[in-house]
Amino acid sequence: MAYQTRDGDRVLSSDEVHYDWWTVSEAALRAETAPHGLTATPHGPVEAGLYKLLRQG
């Protein structure tokens, strides 16, 4: 991933990081988080596949 902080067309800072990551299905996310008292709630555009993890109760 490459990150930049910009002011218009001018780059103020940049950084690059490397790490492994993977995706999981909504069902797998819910199954993994539920035992810890968390619920996965869709967040943002549906096509983005983003979720907020909220504490139950």
Side-chain angles (χ1 to χ4, degrees):
M1 302 287 273
Y3 299 92
Q4 292 185 336
T5 302
R6 302 176 73 88
D7 182 6
D9 290 337
R10 192 174 115 213
V11 176
L12 301 176
S13 66
S14 62
D15 197 7
E16 191 171 313
V17 295
H18 302 273
Y19 50 86
D20 295 332
W21 63 283
W22 54 95
T23 59
V24 297
S25 68
E26 180 178 352
L29 180 61
R30 289 180 186 281
E32 188 172 327
T33 57
H36 303 284
L38 300 170
T39 52
T41 304
H43 182 74
V46 173
E47 63 274 9
L50 301 173
Y51 292 85
K52 294 187 289 188
L53 298 180
L54 303 173
R55 193 155 305 279
Q56 296 173 359

